[in-house]
């Protein structure tokens, strides 16, 4: 599984880094970045929550 | 004020729209709870209202919000009882709340960077200073002889802090801020006798809109000559598809920032205070 952030759509609302702080961070350019490319199984629920909460739907999970 | 017991409600008679019901029973928490339990997607069809789908579960609301091409903002913004419906009210402004994709994102992108968590964090000191000023002023003007302070929390605190913050963001001078509050009340409470001074709801809403539009039209003109680091200058200079913003949509944007920014923050602060919650 690959996590993809569309940084054109991202506007730095930081919902992802609140939901899954181990996986996402929002940097000074107000864009989300992936800290952890392959999160462990214990983090998958948080990852899915982050995808769901993004107001711009900028995070996708690809197989 | 006594909230109704959830078990005493029934689907056919519960009321979630009418103002007088709110006045008597408070915010309809029991009704929302009932709907979430028994009919989370409910076609609310009553004599006193144009029917609508009441979606009451958080997960369902998120799903709806994530599908802006299926669930539109434009056709209908407000749910009110028929006697309070303002004919043509939705046509009095065009802003984010009644726009849909792709237009919605274009307008949102004009200012969204000023409202990211990072941008808002940079305002922390300014907001703290405003909150302190409001409290200090209250101590001076409302000290009731001794150690206690008697005031109207809504107008003296809950309104003043967000009003000063929004006005600072927009670059509105301090002397004009109470006027913004009056227009907001007239726009939101246009059928409320406290705000409409005997005029009809539509006249009251139009008066507020005309006041706000004229005010910001003048302020934009001033900022186009002497730009500052405020939202008014930014919107005055903003371009959409290579053109300056259409005047109607630009002035509607100011109306949204003032009215929605103020009323939501005010309601949140007042309700938190009432419920004893920290915020």
């Amino acid at each position: 599984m690959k996590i993809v952030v569309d940084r054109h759509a991202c506007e730095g609302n930081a919902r992802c880094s609140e939901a899954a702080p181990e996986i996402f961070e929002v940097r000074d350019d107000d864009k989300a970045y992936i800290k952890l490319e392959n999160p462990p199984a214990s983090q998958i629920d948080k990852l899915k929550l982050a995808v769901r909460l993004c107001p711009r739907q900028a995070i996708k999970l690809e197989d | 004020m006594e909230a109704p017991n959830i078990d005493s409600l029934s689907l056919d008679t519960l009321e979630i729209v009418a103002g007088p019901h709110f006045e008597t029973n408070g915010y309809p928490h029991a009704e929302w709870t009932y709907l979430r339990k028994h009919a989370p997607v409910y076609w609310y069809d009553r004599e006193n209202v144009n029917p609508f789908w009441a979606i009451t579960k958080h997960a369902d609301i998120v799903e709806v919000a994530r599908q802006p091409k299926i669930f539109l903002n434009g056709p209908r913004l407000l749910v009110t009882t028929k006697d309070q419906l303002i004919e043509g009210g939705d046509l009095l402004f065009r802003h984010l709340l009644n726009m849909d994709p792709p237009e919605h994102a274009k307008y949102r992108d004009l200012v969204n960077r000023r409202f990211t968590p990072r941008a808002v964090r940079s305002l922390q000191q300014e907001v703290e200073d405003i909150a302190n000023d409001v409290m200090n002023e209250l101590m001076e003007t409302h000290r009731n002889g001794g150690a206690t302070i008697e005031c109207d929390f809504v107008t003296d605190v809950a309104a003043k802090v967000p009003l000063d913050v929004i006005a600072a963001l927009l670059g509105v001078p301090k002397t004009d801020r109470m006027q913004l509050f009056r227009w907001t009340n007239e726009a939101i409470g246009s059928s409320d006798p406290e705000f409409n001074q005997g005029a009809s709801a539509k006249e009251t809403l139009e008066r507020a809109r005309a006041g706000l539009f004229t005010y910001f039209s003048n302020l934009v003109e001033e900022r186009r000559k002497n730009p500052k680091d405020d939202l008014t200058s930014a919107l005055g200079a903003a371009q959409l598809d290579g053109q300056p913003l259409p005047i109607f949509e630009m002035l509607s944007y100011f109306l949204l920032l003032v009215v929605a920014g103020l009323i939501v923050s005010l309601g949140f602060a007042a309700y938190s205070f009432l419920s004893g919650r920290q915020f």
Side-chain angles (χ1 to χ4, degrees):
Chain A
M1 185 183 61
K2 187 172 163 53
I3 311 166
V4 180
V5 175
D6 177 351
R7 267 190 279 282
H8 182 68
C10 174
E11 61 180 13
N13 289 294
R15 301 304 309 276
C16 57
S17 57
E18 284 168 28
E22 294 87 353
I23 304 172
F24 297 99
E25 64 178 348
V26 175
R27 294 190 190 154
D28 286 348
D29 61 354
D30 280 329
K31 300 287 178 187
Y33 290 83
I34 298 158
K35 282 159 72 179
L36 192 60
E37 292 281 356
N38 294 299
S42 60
Q43 293 273 329
I44 295 300
D45 284 350
K46 284 186 182 178
L47 173 61
K48 287 184 175 163
L49 182 65
V51 171
R52 240 172 81 79
L53 288 180
C54 175
R56 302 309 296 268
Q57 302 179 46
I59 310 168
K60 299 268 185 302
L61 302 181
E62 293 176 355
D63 291 329
Chain B
M1 207 185 295
E2 193 68 37
N5 187 320
I6 293 166
D7 297 325
S8 72
L9 297 169
S10 89
L11 202 52
D12 295 334
T13 56
L14 62 74
E15 171 63 60
I16 53 173
V17 180
H21 183 78
F22 282 51
E23 281 172 34
T24 315
N25 302 288
Y27 199 75
H29 288 296
E31 285 80 354
W32 298 128
T33 305
Y34 185 96
L35 284 175
R36 274 192 290 273
K37 190 172 168 193
H38 298 289
V41 177
Y42 178 57
W43 181 243
Y44 189 85
D45 191 354
R46 300 284 194 272
E47 198 61 42
N48 66 344
V49 65
N50 290 328
F52 61 93
W53 289 102
I55 316 280
T56 44
K57 275 195 174 168
H58 179 266
D60 293 337
I61 294 166
V62 171
E63 278 313 305
V64 167
R66 285 170 59 83
Q67 299 179 62
K69 287 177 185 157
I70 299 173
F71 299 98
L72 302 180
N73 295 324
R76 186 176 177 190
L77 177 58
L78 293 174
V79 170
T80 54
T81 49
K82 281 178 185 164
D83 62 327
Q84 299 203 347
L85 198 64
I86 297 175
E87 206 64 51
D90 284 0
L91 302 174
L92 292 177
F93 36 78
R94 285 195 77 239
H95 52 47
L96 292 178
L97 298 190
N98 56 0
M99 281 181 186
D100 290 292
E103 196 180 29
H104 184 276
K106 288 185 187 174
Y107 276 86
R108 192 181 151 105
D109 285 347
L110 298 175
V111 298
N112 64 9
R113 307 228 2 159
R114 289 172 177 259
F115 294 100
T116 61
R118 195 172 62 95
V120 172
R121 261 198 303 280
S122 74
L123 298 172
Q124 187 169 345
Q125 188 59 51
E126 195 175 350
V127 174
E128 278 178 17
D129 291 346
I130 286 170
N132 282 328
D133 287 349
V134 167
M135 292 313 291
N136 287 334
E137 193 191 317
L138 198 63
M139 308 261 240
E140 280 167 25
T141 54
H142 285 70
R143 198 178 277 287
N144 188 18
T148 59
I149 289 171
E150 214 174 284
C151 73
D152 179 333
F153 185 79
V154 170
T155 50
D156 295 329
V157 182
K160 279 202 174 151
V161 175
L163 193 55
D164 279 1
V165 172
I166 292 160
L169 291 174
L170 290 166
V172 167
K174 216 165 179 140
T175 45
D176 296 338
R177 295 180 182 182
M178 286 316 284
Q179 183 59 56
L180 295 187
F181 187 38
R182 280 190 284 275
W183 284 323
T184 298
N185 283 327
E186 288 170 9
I188 294 284
S190 45
S191 55
D192 186 330
E194 188 181 342
F195 305 124
N196 65 19
Q197 297 159 26
S200 74
K202 185 165 193 191
E203 285 165 354
T204 307
L205 178 61
E206 283 180 339
R207 185 173 62 207
R209 180 186 74 145
L212 272 160
F213 275 19
T214 307
Y215 183 86
F216 281 101
S217 174
N218 291 333
L219 195 61
V220 163
E221 203 176 318
E222 200 278 319
R223 287 298 195 279
R224 280 177 171 161
K225 288 182 207 138
N226 307 298
K228 295 186 180 177
D229 181 28
D230 56 35
L231 265 170
T232 304
S233 305
L235 281 174
Q239 297 224 327
L240 199 77
D241 301 328
Q243 299 287 326
L245 295 193
I247 187 80
F248 181 56
E249 280 76 3
M250 183 179 74
L251 295 174
S252 298
Y253 218 134
F254 286 107
L255 185 141
L256 174 73
L257 288 165
V258 170
V259 173
L262 181 57
I263 214 71
V264 173
S265 316
L266 181 164
F268 179 69
Y271 188 74
S272 301
F273 187 69
L274 195 65
S275 65
R277 212 183 292 164
Q278 295 281 318
F279 64 94

